Amino acid sequence: MYDGDALAEAALEWRQAGPSQWELVYTALTGIQCSLRRIYQQPDGSWGALVIAGVKDDHHAALAAAEWAIAKLCA
């Protein structure tokens, strides 16, 4: 959990987001939070995972990062 006076660095924490969902939350030194990953149970009992591919300067670079990540997952 983020406490601006207590932590000297950013933090990553898994949080339950629902009865069958978990997310990995990044908390920056400023207190801003961003979900980087989410896992969720599917109806057939398997688990799906969503991952942020990265942060880029423009939408073309962001699209390329997403395509690269999907290619790696499918390989």
Side-chain angles (χ1 to χ4, degrees):
M1 187 69 56
Y2 178 79
D3 179 352
D5 295 330
L7 289 180
E9 59 188 41
L12 289 171
E13 177 185 17
W14 279 104
R15 295 182 186 167
Q16 192 162 8
S20 59
Q21 296 182 10
W22 291 83
E23 61 184 5
L24 184 65
V25 177
Y26 168 75
T27 302
L29 291 173
T30 60
I32 294 173
Q33 296 183 336
C34 177
S35 178
L36 299 177
R37 298 181 189 118
R38 178 173 284 206
I39 61 171
Y40 57 94
Q41 191 170 27
Q42 300 181 100
D44 68 357
S46 63
W47 286 80
L50 301 173
V51 179
I52 299 297
V55 177
K56 302 296 179 187
D57 292 331
D58 61 53
H59 77 280
H60 293 293
L63 288 170
E67 290 171 359
W68 175 85
I70 295 300
K72 286 297 204 181
L73 288 171
C74 294

